Amino acid sequence: MRIEVGVVSDIGQVREGNEDSYLVEPPLYAVADGMGGHRGGEVASQLALETVEELFLAGEGTLADQVREANRVVFSRSASDKKVTGMGTTLTAAQIEDDEAHLVHVGDSRAYLERAGSLRMLTEDHTLVNRMVKAGEISAAEADVHPHRNVLLRALGTDPDVEVDEQDVGLLVGDRLLLCSDGLTSMVAEEQVQAILESEPSPQTAAERLVRAANRAGGIDNITVVVLDALEDDPSAPTPATRAPAKPRARTGSAGGAPSRRLPWMWIVGAVVTVVVLIAAFTGFRVWLDGRWYVGEANGKVAVFQGVPAEVLGYRLSSVEVETDLPAEEVAALPDWDELPQGINANSREDAMQIVERMRTVLEEQQQDERRRQGGGNG
């Protein structure tokens, strides 16, 4: 198995500097999100990853040992340098050997596994609101808007010792691992993250699209994304057509090989069960589909759709909910909205309408700038 990687680290739309850092030292990959002000956060994340990289290349200890040593180094620097007192950092790393990823994690950066149409979060946020959710004090939806949602209970460099989460994850060819800082997950819903990971075959382009989505949603924090694709290592491996055929299945019947008289009833029962399962699956899919929203193009205008931007057997899986007066071609020409023809995912109808209003504001500002330029030229 070989790994193909895509990496992007971006300052975002609000911050003055980038306190995130990343490490790509195959087979080791990591992201770190610093805290403690611009200088403190940048120093903490870089120092932590530099320490891990140095120990990893020297072969000293396990990955968890290396992270614990990085904690001691960051804590010592924070205690001795008044300019960075109180600094700390998250750290999420994956060491990939053969068909297994060994994960270590501290903080609220995250690791996800995308496999066969599903996205699974592998890490647990070490935050106050996550503990409150687990205790049943607040809901997951309340956690997303809680005033203390950024309060960390565990980070590197804030205490002399730190507890490090570890786990091993088996990998299959076609799997995609995502390591990211919370600048992505605080801005982009997991459904949209999954949609981008599933629709973009290139890990580098997938990373770029994820960062662009976070910036388009506001980009209030630094954003760092590492996308890792598990690919077939041996190109000479036999294809299914050249592999030995499977052994034939034994047939069902009575003694002597004669068909059972009860077999037609089994067919009837099986058919009924199949129909019931299909109806239930369709109903569940319909409910899921009705909860999906995106902003796209209809009749040359920007429109809000309910559903997903796809077709199955000629059946369109979405319908127009609101058609605006915004010209789709002009909006799609703007840097932040170039994916409009493919559809821009939204968390809800209200979220979709907010996206439309941001489009309107940016388009009007551009038009005003153009009129000012023309007026200046005429004068």
Side-chain angles (χ1 to χ4, degrees):
M1 181 176 292
R2 62 186 177 88
I3 299 297
E4 185 174 341
V5 60
V7 185
V8 178
S9 187
D10 191 86
I11 193 173
Q13 302 297 303
V14 177
R15 297 294 180 90
E16 295 181 355
N18 193 347
E19 299 174 39
D20 287 0
S21 299
Y22 66 85
L23 172 63
V24 174
E25 185 64 57
L28 178 61
Y29 310 87
V31 297
D33 181 358
M35 60 185 189
H38 169 45
R39 173 165 172 75
E42 183 177 356
V43 170
S45 63
Q46 290 183 357
L47 185 58
L49 292 187
E50 287 171 358
T51 302
V52 169
E53 180 182 24
E54 181 180 344
L55 295 174
F56 175 75
L57 293 176
E60 298 183 16
T62 66
L63 183 55
D65 292 335
Q66 294 157 10
V67 171
R68 282 188 280 266
E69 178 60 26
N71 174 76
R72 287 188 283 272
V73 171
V74 175
F75 179 78
S76 176
R77 175 70 178 274
S78 174
S80 62
D81 187 346
K82 293 182 179 180
K83 295 180 181 178
V84 292
T85 298
M87 70 177 179
T89 184
T90 70
L91 193 151
T92 301
Q95 181 178 345
I96 301 178
E97 300 287 355
D98 298 324
D99 58 352
E100 187 173 78
H102 180 62
L103 297 178
V104 298
H105 168 68
V106 178
D108 64 350
S109 294
R110 292 180 179 179
Y112 288 89
L113 173 66
E114 191 271 318
R115 171 184 292 170
S118 67
L119 183 69
R120 178 164 63 98
M121 183 175 166
L122 301 175
T123 52
E124 179 179 338
D125 291 347
H126 300 140
T127 59
L128 176 63
V129 294
N130 186 50
R131 186 175 70 179
M132 295 169 69
V133 170
K134 292 175 64 177
E137 299 173 10
I138 60 174
S139 67
E142 290 171 328
D144 290 338
V145 296
H146 197 280
H148 297 147
R149 61 186 178 277
N150 295 323
V151 175
L152 290 176
L153 298 180
R154 198 190 307 176
L156 262 65
T158 57
D159 293 290
D161 299 298
V162 68
E163 181 181 356
V164 179
D165 289 354
E166 295 184 80
Q167 64 173 305
D168 292 321
V169 179
L171 296 178
L172 302 175
V173 171
D175 283 353
R176 176 167 274 182
L177 276 175
L178 168 66
L179 309 179
C180 61
S181 62
D182 70 335
L184 174 69
T185 52
S186 62
M187 292 284 98
V188 183
E190 288 188 0
E191 292 84 355
Q192 187 174 359
V193 170
Q194 180 178 346
I196 292 174
L197 291 176
E198 290 178 355
S199 64
E200 181 51 63
S202 163
Q204 181 61 37
T205 308
E208 292 168 359
R209 286 187 58 188
L210 287 169
V211 170
R212 192 158 62 242
N215 276 323
R216 192 166 51 224
I220 63 174
D221 200 353
N222 308 140
I223 313 146
T224 298
V225 172
V226 177
V227 178
L228 305 169
D229 282 1
L231 304 176
E232 181 64 60
D233 189 31
D234 184 7
S236 63
T239 62
T242 62
R243 291 173 183 163
K247 294 181 180 179
R249 297 177 183 175
R251 295 181 180 179
T252 302
S254 60
S260 169
R261 294 173 182 167
R262 300 175 66 180
L263 194 56
W265 288 104
M266 295 173 62
W267 290 346
I268 294 172
V269 171
V272 170
V273 170
T274 300
V275 170
V276 171
V277 170
L278 289 174
I279 291 174
F282 178 79
T283 301
F285 177 71
R286 185 73 254 179
V287 171
W288 174 84
L289 198 62
D290 289 344
R292 306 298 100 186
W293 297 85
Y294 71 94
V295 179
E297 178 181 348
N299 301 319
K301 303 293 185 181
V302 174
V304 173
F305 291 79
Q306 184 178 29
V308 294
E311 288 187 4
V312 176
L313 300 177
Y315 176 72
R316 188 169 179 83
L317 301 181
S318 63
S319 60
V320 176
E321 177 72 10
V322 178
E323 184 174 322
T324 74
D325 59 348
L326 292 176
E329 185 176 357
E330 294 183 27
V331 172
L334 299 172
D336 288 342
W337 314 111
D338 56 334
E339 295 183 3
L340 179 66
Q342 291 77 42
I344 298 171
N345 291 329
N347 297 327
S348 63
R349 185 182 188 279
E350 292 73 18
D351 185 33
M353 294 304 297
Q354 290 176 4
I355 292 174
V356 169
E357 289 309 309
R358 287 199 293 272
M359 290 176 173
R360 187 185 304 278
T361 299
V362 173
L363 185 60
E364 289 176 351
E365 290 176 350
Q366 186 186 63
Q367 291 171 345
Q368 289 173 2
D369 290 342
E370 182 63 26
R371 285 195 293 270
R372 281 194 293 267
R373 284 194 296 269
Q374 293 176 354
N378 293 334

